[in-house]
Amino acid sequence: SEQSVLADLSWLGLNWDEGPDIEGSKYGPYRQSERGDMYIKLANKLLEEGKAYKCFSTQEELDEMKAKQEAEGLPTRYDGTWRDADPELVQQKLDEGVTYTVRFKVPAGSRVVIDDAVR
């Protein structure tokens, strides 16, 4: 439960000044399940700015792509199928009600590096 997680973090000596257990916190909501509207707004902003795109690849297509890359000894990554798709095709998929994922539109040839302090 949430209370158990917060108690464990406190037991580890971690302290925070914002969170669901701090009265008067001003940067919530803190639970991911309550942040959907915020995520949608930010995803739409990225789409409008051309920093993201709608990907209609199915889970089966993604699994097949991954299996093929693994079989060839390649690092697994999304191949960008929908990155520069024809806007008419994208609209067709939207009109058909096909679900999509929003992906970052990383400039071609660039490498994304994340400095993970935990690892």
Side-chain angles (χ1 to χ4, degrees), residues 20-40:
D21 62 331
I22 306 293
E23 192 166 326
S25 293
K26 57 184 175 183
Y27 296 106
Y30 299 95
R31 294 168 192 90
Q32 184 172 348
S33 61
E34 297 172 353
R35 297 173 69 91
D37 290 341
M38 184 183 308
Y39 296 149
I40 290 169

Side-chain angles (χ1 to χ4, degrees), residues 31-103:
R31 294 168 192 90
Q32 184 172 348
S33 61
E34 297 172 353
R35 297 173 69 91
D37 290 341
M38 184 183 308
Y39 296 149
I40 290 169
K41 180 180 176 183
L42 292 171
N44 285 332
K45 182 176 188 242
L46 290 170
L47 289 165
E48 290 167 12
E49 293 175 353
K51 296 177 182 175
Y53 61 96
K54 295 173 182 171
C55 170
F56 297 93
S57 296
T58 65
Q59 188 60 54
E60 292 78 17
E61 291 169 331
L62 295 172
D63 290 344
E64 183 180 316
M65 184 184 311
K66 180 179 180 182
K68 182 179 178 191
Q69 291 168 346
E70 286 175 340
E72 294 174 1
L74 299 171
T76 58
R77 59 185 289 263
Y78 176 66
D79 67 4
T81 299
W82 286 93
R83 186 183 190 284
D84 298 307
D86 182 328
E88 290 182 18
L89 182 56
V90 170
Q91 189 58 54
Q92 177 185 337
K93 292 288 187 182
L94 292 171
D95 293 345
E96 293 170 0
V98 177
T99 59
Y100 60 88
T101 299
V102 175
R103 292 184 179 269

